[in-house]
Amino acid sequence: MVEAVQGAGVVVTGAGGGIGAALARRFAAEGARVVVNDLDGDRAKAVAEEIGGIAVPGDASSVVGEARDALGGTVDVYCANAGVAFGGPDVADLADARAWDLSWDVNVMAHVRAAHELLPAWLERGDGRFVSTVSAAGLLTMIGAAPYSVTKHGAYAFAEYLSLTYRHRGLKVHAICPQGVRTDMLDATGSAGDLVLKPTAVEPDDVAEALFKGIAEDRFLILPHPEVAEYYQARAADPDRWLGSMNHLQRKWEETR
């Protein structure tokens, strides 16, 4: 058991399935009081009933107030897990305004809005925990998925900003950056996901386990796929070589389409 979360009031967005549901189950198993949020109310209620939590369906961008009330006035841990993924291989897809707008809103601005609501109370009491489900795409880049890759970079940058700005005031931040995870979102990545992500995909429970190890060790960067650290280092050490290898992967993918 991780003492830091026992009895804590926890909110998990996008928790009707996949990584979010795995996080909700793990927090509940560790003794936390869990609010399960999802746009799909039926899925949120099903997970909440399973774990003895509280379902608060709706948009992740505006859930903090209702979730705080459901927890008796205090949120101790907020898991900004809800996300959307849009991709496309061609230049025309770069002009899809709806994909870009929704990606920015859900993958980045929902995190910003939640932090805006939560930080005053957390800083006043000198304690709070913000968990951002990013993606390895936020450290690297995913082929064929411009809105997803760019906004996940933004989510990672915001998590970094929160940590470097407020860690001396008691805020703990964790950025989860997995590669492929066996969820509905992975199934929707198509041939690019088949090539890059599925061969090494892990289960959602593996992501939850990685997070809890990170919480116990008080680590910011959570890598369910440890090899991502090597890729990240290689990218920083020699960007042109890394871009060349990614372009090779891009061409390999184009040959399969």
Side-chain angles (χ1 to χ4, degrees), residues 50-74:
E50 173 193 340
I51 66 173
I54 307 164
V56 179
D59 192 330
S61 292
S62 57
V63 71
V64 172
E66 189 175 351
R68 184 192 288 122
D69 291 343
L71 290 169
T74 302

Side-chain angles (χ1 to χ4, degrees), residues 188-253:
T189 58
S191 58
D194 291 343
L195 176 64
V196 179
L197 302 175
K198 284 190 176 180
T200 59
V202 299
E203 297 295 336
D205 286 346
D206 297 322
V207 178
E209 175 65 20
L211 171 62
F212 271 78
K213 286 182 180 178
I215 291 175
E217 297 170 4
D218 198 21
R219 280 188 287 107
F220 169 77
L221 184 56
I222 311 298
L223 297 178
H225 294 80
E227 62 270 25
V228 169
E230 298 176 13
Y231 304 153
Y232 192 42
Q233 290 171 346
R235 175 179 179 266
D238 192 340
D240 286 301
R241 182 175 181 181
W242 179 80
L243 286 168
S245 67
M246 289 298 292
N247 179 252
H248 175 77
L249 191 61
Q250 169 73 21
R251 285 179 285 150
K252 183 176 179 179
W253 175 47

Side-chain angles (χ1 to χ4, degrees), residues 88-100:
D90 302 317
V91 173
D93 296 297
L94 299 180
D96 186 345
R98 177 182 173 275
W100 282 101

Side-chain angles (χ1 to χ4, degrees), residues 55-203:
V56 179
D59 192 330
S61 292
S62 57
V63 71
V64 172
E66 189 175 351
R68 184 192 288 122
D69 291 343
L71 290 169
T74 302
V75 175
D76 301 295
V77 182
Y78 188 87
C79 298
N81 172 77
V84 295
F86 292 94
D90 302 317
V91 173
D93 296 297
L94 299 180
D96 186 345
R98 177 182 173 275
W100 282 101
D101 290 347
L102 189 58
S103 296
W104 276 116
D105 192 60
V106 177
N107 294 347
V108 182
M109 293 310 300
H111 299 203
V112 175
R113 294 186 191 102
H116 175 74
E117 288 209 43
L118 292 163
L119 277 171
W122 284 353
L123 297 179
E124 182 179 354
R125 73 176 193 239
D127 184 48
R129 192 179 300 273
F130 193 94
V131 179
S132 177
T133 300
V134 183
S135 167
L139 292 174
L140 308 170
T141 293
M142 177 60 188
I143 60 172
Y148 182 76
S149 294
V150 172
T151 55
K152 287 299 185 177
H153 274 71
Y156 182 77
F158 184 64
E160 277 193 328
Y161 179 83
L162 289 178
S163 183
L164 68 88
T165 304
Y166 299 113
R167 61 169 49 206
H168 67 291
R169 299 181 63 182
L171 179 63
K172 300 173 180 64
V173 182
H174 308 281
I176 310 173
C177 297
Q179 292 194 108
V181 183
R182 296 187 184 98
T183 64
D184 292 343
M185 187 177 286
L186 177 60
D187 291 337
T189 58
S191 58
D194 291 343
L195 176 64
V196 179
L197 302 175
K198 284 190 176 180
T200 59
V202 299
E203 297 295 336

